[in-house]
Amino acid sequence: MAVRIRVRGQVQGVGFRPFVWQLAQAHGLSGRVLNDPEGVLIWADAAPAAFLASLRSEAPPLARVDAVEVTDVDDEIMVGAFVIAGSEGQGAETRVTPDAATCPACAHEIRAPGRRQGYAFTNCTHCGPRFTILQGLPYDRARTVMAGFAMCPDCRAEYDSPADRRFHAQPIACPACGPRLWLERDGAEVAGDPIAAAAAMLRAGAVLAVKGLGGFHLACDATDGAAVALLRARKRRPAKPLAVMAPLPVLRGIARLTPGDEAALADPAAPVVLVATGAAPLPDAVAPGMTRLGVMLPYTPLHHLLCDAVGRPLVMTSGNLSGEPQVIGNDEARAKLAGFVDAFLMHDREIARRLDDSVERADPPMVLRRARGRVPGTLALPPGFEAAPPVLAYGAEMKAAICLTKGGQALLSHHLGELDEPLTWAEFLKAEADYTQLFEHRAAVLACDLHPGYRASAHAEAEAARRGLPLQRVQHHHAHLAACLGESLWPLEGGPVAGVILDGTGYGADGTVWGGELLLGDYRAVTREGFLAPAPLPGGAAAAREPWRNAVMRLDAAGRGDLADRLFGDKPLAALRQAARAGVNAPMASSAGRLFDAVAALLGLCPDRQSYEGEAAMRLEALAEGVVAAPYGFGPGLDPAPMIRALAADLEAGRPAPEIAAAFQAGLAQAFAAPARALVAAGRARAVVLSGGCFQNAGLLTAMRTALEGVPVLVQARVPANDGGLALGQALVAAAASLPESH
């Protein structure tokens, strides 16, 4: 007699089968364990309660067990040993493991005497590349880019031994049989140790292209202001903050790390974490105007070895042409990055898909960019969505990502970028085909943003027509609300919530531009209960690039056009105002993001032009960090005019800019918290949702939560509150629309 045990979740490529084998030995069981399209399948002569409990409680570090299902089997007899059997079938019901940072055992191994000392591609079942090398399922070596590297006898022995931590580690390699590393300069390979040679160049002020897990980085010595300036000049990236990589002891010297920061940095995902700058800061050129620094630990053996050899923190920023996706191929790097770098540190292991570094914050916890190390991790769908059909949602135009739902799980793709860039659009189409094929997804419903001009929405419409599928168009801010509800596992029939949705711009249900919204509703529908008093966006898209335009409009609306004349007299104010009055390329917008830009411009923060998206708001947040100030008051109907008048008076009186910035953020929080709280108090809402890109501002988020104390508040911690999470919300709205309402 036998039992059949099905284990579902993130259980392939993480050492789960040898873990089961060892557990079975300890319990004296006979049987077998194998991988199949649904996860891990165990056949055993018994299922002791302690054995079943250990499948969850003692699982390997990278495993995520969703379910353990036990069934008696009458026609199987298990006698003798317990063995690990080969994979069966093909398919994609199981979860693919994200790439994982080098584990402590492998980090020790590359620094200790032995055959892998100094080897840049050392890994085991507890770490190493996964999604970036995967070409098909089940996850076996033959379906990865490692297929062309035949294992040497030593690696084969480790691979075949269930007692070894490299048992069935698909990327297993060593210097005798695995990928090789080299330094390339002026089209020729540099003789000698590539790590030592690369380190010497970095210490001398050079800029290098370094091939990582999901693409190339541009690297330089972060302590060398001239090297950082050189990198910025070559890449034409004047002010956008640069990420820094260093071992933990080095990071402690340049940043004030909290226990939460250190935990986030040490996560197997190894994200870039935004941390407070320390007592011995890096040159201002690394993150101009910021009080926060994006840092990460070395997450591959190559990075560990390079950081050891340089002995200094390194800038590690995406290797790409401005606006284009990150470079992943060696020839592509030579063609596109040669003008940026002095040499290439590259290898011959292909990258199956490009993944940027994830960017996160530890306190309050939030994901700003969901990418390497986080994808293709899935999110459970909330209660009530069990019968939902599979949905494919196409997201928005900026910070693009797609979302697939299937089998009670949502798979939100990696960050793709801005779809107005042709190569990013090509990556978007590639990601759609890639995820659909890899996870054998057959959509029954498609979903997209309501905006008629979004490329993703036009593509969704064409796909719906081509496939004969229904298309659900979802209003932008409704999708933000639904994404937050979904991450919070708010039930389908959990009742209405008040949604404070603050972002840049989104196409409204009335055809106008929204962005500072108070919504009431759920997955199925929302009503607009309030919104920031609109102001023109003169120049349309130019208003998002040039903060002074928004400042003039808000000053004029507050009756302080005289201050606009004094502050921005060198600008074409007459033409601007005439266009706004005539409504020529000056749509009215309730955008909270543009209000941030206006206030930033009034405080002299990049008023003329932003050199990167969100610069004004980020610098305003940095200015206000740690400052406590009484909130400015808003007028009835969420009108910022009284706030602008008070701010203008303070500006003229010489009040310190950090206090003004803090008073603005506190005032905005109070203005939206009061009506949201009222909806809960009146019994019309059961909780308050905070979503939209403005809530990446930790100061604003904290102020909102303080203003809503005593009220249930839902926020996003694992899904970006910006447009990177929009596709999840679209998918949930579309799924809810396909399900009958319970009465």
Side-chain angles (χ1 to χ4, degrees):
M1 305 300 291
V3 292
R4 178 182 180 273
I5 305 169
R6 159 67 65 202
V7 185
R8 302 184 188 277
Q10 186 172 292
V11 290
Q12 290 190 10
V14 296
F16 205 87
R17 289 176 301 163
F19 156 68
V20 171
W21 178 83
Q22 292 172 350
L23 203 58
Q25 307 296 321
H27 286 272
L29 302 181
S30 299
R32 65 183 184 274
V33 59
L34 56 90
N35 282 342
D36 72 359
E38 294 185 52
V40 166
L41 188 58
I42 304 166
W43 302 85
D45 59 347
F51 174 80
L52 295 175
S54 295
L55 290 175
R56 288 182 181 273
S57 65
E58 299 175 23
L62 300 181
R64 302 289 182 271
V65 177
D66 291 339
V68 177
E69 303 161 0
V70 184
T71 308
D72 289 328
V73 181
D74 293 333
D75 57 351
E76 289 261 359
I77 298 176
M78 296 292 150
V79 178
F82 192 94
V83 299
I84 297 176
S87 298
E88 292 183 357
Q90 292 190 15
E93 298 303 320
T94 191
R95 193 181 308 174
V96 177
T97 309
D99 301 274
T102 305
C103 70
C106 286
H108 172 75
E109 192 173 8
I110 61 172
R111 296 178 171 101
R115 67 193 185 93
R116 290 193 177 89
Q117 184 175 17
Y119 186 55
F121 307 96
T122 300
N123 65 83
C124 69
T125 52
H126 303 314
C127 69
R130 298 289 193 279
F131 195 46
T132 51
I133 64 169
L134 184 67
Q135 294 176 315
L137 289 174
Y139 174 64
D140 286 320
R141 191 179 182 94
R143 298 182 182 90
T144 74
V145 301
M146 291 297 295
F149 295 95
M151 280 181 262
C152 68
D154 287 336
C155 284
R156 171 58 71 180
E158 294 169 326
Y159 184 89
D160 288 339
S161 171
D164 196 286
R165 80 174 197 276
R166 292 194 167 90
F167 177 78
H168 282 213
Q170 306 308 336
I172 188 174
C174 76
C177 64
R180 63 179 289 268
L181 183 72
W182 69 90
L183 183 69
E184 188 174 302
R185 188 173 190 177
D186 298 327
E189 184 173 335
V190 177
D193 180 351
I195 294 288
M201 291 189 69
L202 288 166
R203 286 196 301 270
V207 177
L208 265 60
V210 179
K211 188 175 183 180
L213 270 184
F216 277 79
H217 284 112
L218 301 181
C220 72
D221 178 355
T223 68
D224 184 341
V228 177
L230 179 65
L231 187 156
R232 285 196 177 280
R234 288 177 176 178
K235 198 179 179 187
R236 297 178 183 172
R237 182 174 172 171
K240 191 173 182 179
L242 302 168
V244 172
M245 176 182 284
L248 193 56
V250 177
L251 290 183
R252 287 175 178 147
I254 61 173
R256 290 182 287 117
L257 302 180
T258 66
D261 292 336
E262 295 199 7
L265 287 164
D267 188 279
V272 174
V273 180
L274 299 185
V275 302
T277 52
L282 296 173
D284 185 62
V286 174
M290 297 292 119
T291 56
R292 296 262 154 183
L293 185 64
V295 302
M296 58 182 154
L297 297 179
Y299 57 82
T300 71
L302 189 160
H303 293 131
H304 279 279
L305 295 167
L306 188 61
C307 286
D308 286 357
V310 176
R312 302 170 190 169
L314 296 173
V315 164
M316 283 280 181
T317 190
S318 293
N320 63 315
L321 297 177
S322 181
E324 288 191 5
Q326 191 176 18
V327 167
I328 61 172
N330 292 352
D331 288 339
E332 183 188 13
R334 293 180 184 110
K336 291 187 174 182
L337 303 182
F340 294 174
V341 302
D342 301 298
F344 297 86
L345 187 59
M346 54 174 56
H347 56 77
D348 56 357
R349 187 178 68 199
E350 291 181 29
I351 297 172
R353 54 186 58 76
R354 69 188 82 220
L355 292 178
D356 287 300
D357 296 313
S358 291
V359 181
E360 305 182 6
R361 193 191 290 264
D363 184 24
M366 64 175 75
V367 172
L368 289 85
R369 183 168 72 196
R370 191 170 185 274
R372 178 197 48 75
R374 295 298 180 200
V375 292
T378 60
L379 301 152
L381 296 182
F385 284 90
E386 293 81 6
V391 179
L392 171 56
Y394 287 95
E397 195 80 352
M398 299 180 71
K399 298 176 179 64
I402 63 174
C403 184
L404 301 79
T405 64
K406 175 183 177 182
Q409 300 283 321
L411 172 61
L412 181 63
S413 82
H414 59 286
H415 167 87
L416 293 164
E418 323 308 334
L419 297 186
D420 58 356
E421 159 55 47
L423 289 178
T424 304
W425 176 246
E427 282 298 309
F428 179 88
L429 297 177
K430 179 181 174 184
E432 178 190 11
D434 184 29
Y435 280 93
T436 299
Q437 178 183 17
L438 195 57
F439 297 96
E440 295 185 349
H441 189 266
R442 297 178 181 84
V445 181
L446 304 182
C448 68
D449 193 272
L450 198 61
H451 198 301
Y454 279 0
R455 293 190 75 171
S457 299
H459 176 66
E461 192 167 324
E463 282 297 292
R466 184 180 71 82
R467 301 193 215 178
L469 294 176
L471 175 64
Q472 182 81 26
R473 294 176 177 83
V474 183
Q475 198 279 323
H476 192 92
H477 301 90
H478 185 194
H480 274 307
L481 180 144
C484 186
L485 287 179
E487 181 185 333
S488 304
L489 295 177
W490 189 264
L492 176 60
E493 306 299 343
V497 298
V500 178
I501 316 297
L502 306 180
D503 65 358
T505 56
Y507 190 78
D510 59 359
T512 66
V513 181
W514 292 8
E517 310 304 314
L518 176 63
L519 305 180
L520 178 66
D522 56 14
Y523 297 105
R524 289 194 170 94
V526 292
T527 57
R528 196 184 190 200
E529 296 291 310
F531 50 91
L532 202 63
L537 297 181
R545 296 190 297 268
E546 301 174 6
W548 68 270
R549 295 171 179 263
N550 303 291
V552 171
M553 291 297 98
R554 286 299 181 183
L555 284 169
D556 285 359
R560 289 304 315 266
D562 61 310
L563 182 57
D565 294 341
R566 291 202 301 274
L567 291 176
F568 309 111
D570 60 331
K571 304 292 191 293
L573 298 185
L576 185 86
R577 286 164 168 156
Q578 183 178 356
R581 283 193 299 270
V584 177
N585 194 25
M588 298 296 287
S590 60
S591 169
R594 299 295 78 79
L595 183 61
F596 265 93
D597 291 350
V599 173
L602 291 174
L603 295 179
L605 304 176
C606 53
D608 294 340
R609 189 177 183 87
Q610 302 189 75
S611 68
Y612 59 91
E613 193 255 332
E615 180 180 8
M618 287 171 63
R619 294 188 65 179
L620 182 68
E621 177 188 0
L623 193 65
E625 185 169 356
V627 179
V628 178
Y632 288 131
F634 279 58
L638 295 169
D639 184 2
M643 180 274 295
I644 292 290
R645 286 192 289 271
L647 188 157
D650 280 349
L651 200 61
E652 291 170 327
R655 188 181 187 187
E659 291 183 17
I660 294 176
F664 159 64
Q665 289 189 167
L668 183 64
Q670 292 278 7
F672 275 92
R677 179 186 286 277
L679 287 171
V680 176
R684 298 179 63 198
R686 297 185 181 178
V688 178
V689 157
L690 306 179
S691 188
C694 290
F695 284 112
Q696 294 174 123
N697 178 324
L700 177 64
L701 180 61
T702 300
M704 282 292 306
R705 298 189 77 160
T706 300
L708 290 166
E709 192 171 354
V711 174
V713 176
L714 308 179
V715 300
Q716 287 163 255
R718 293 182 295 152
V719 173
N722 60 39
D723 284 4
L726 209 68
L728 172 64
Q730 293 171 352
L732 290 166
V733 170
S738 70
L739 295 168
E741 292 190 50
S742 62
H743 298 286

